[in-house]
Amino acid sequence: MGDVVFLQIGLQDSATAVIEEFVMSCRVFERKIEQNVMFHLLNILRIKKCDSVVGLYKPTERNVNFADFYSKIGFKDLPNFESYKRYSFSLSKNSIKPEFEIETEIE
């Protein structure tokens, strides 16, 4: 099937990770894989001692289906920045549940 998910994550500061890009093949989107990827990503960021995560979303014609993804899984709205919508998730106060189990490697 090839690559189905691409994530680009940066650090805003030592305790805040920023999901700069979350690209997923339309063949797998809305099949609960995106929730599972996020569940495992958030767990990895907890292990790495991050306190919060900011998710960026830049609306385009091709990603309309992703428009409310962050809100649906518990991220809170932040003020927009330039052409990006921004969302925040507190790792110490919140959690999300996976739809099914997948294996992850933490380096």
Side-chain angles (χ1 to χ4, degrees):
M1 183 185 287
D3 295 335
V4 294
V5 178
F6 169 78
L7 288 164
Q8 180 173 322
I9 301 162
L11 290 176
Q12 180 173 310
D13 54 49
S14 62
T16 304
V18 179
I19 302 169
E20 298 168 349
E21 301 284 341
F22 189 155
V23 179
M24 179 169 285
S25 168
C26 61
R27 293 172 291 175
V28 297
F29 189 73
E30 296 184 342
R31 295 184 183 191
K32 307 295 183 191
I33 292 173
E34 61 275 15
Q35 287 94 335
N36 282 291
V37 167
M38 189 61 69
F39 169 79
H40 290 285
L41 171 63
L42 295 177
N43 281 336
I44 290 167
L45 292 172
R46 271 191 193 98
I47 291 166
K48 299 283 187 179
K49 306 297 184 207
C50 285
D51 293 328
S52 63
V53 180
V54 173
L56 302 179
Y57 168 70
K58 185 174 185 174
T60 69
E61 290 179 15
R62 296 187 67 193
N63 68 6
V64 172
N65 291 346
F66 194 80
D68 59 353
F69 172 71
Y70 285 116
S71 296
K72 280 183 179 179
I73 63 169
F75 279 64
K76 305 296 180 207
D77 289 351
L78 290 175
N80 292 347
F81 176 74
E82 296 177 359
S83 60
Y84 289 89
K85 293 187 176 187
R86 297 183 325 135
Y87 302 87
S88 178
F89 191 88
S90 170
L91 292 168
S92 61
K93 297 179 183 177
N94 301 299
S95 65
I96 63 172
K97 303 278 187 223
E99 296 292 327
F100 53 85
E101 293 298 318
I102 59 175
E103 291 185 25
T104 56
E105 275 187 38
I106 300 173
E107 295 182 13

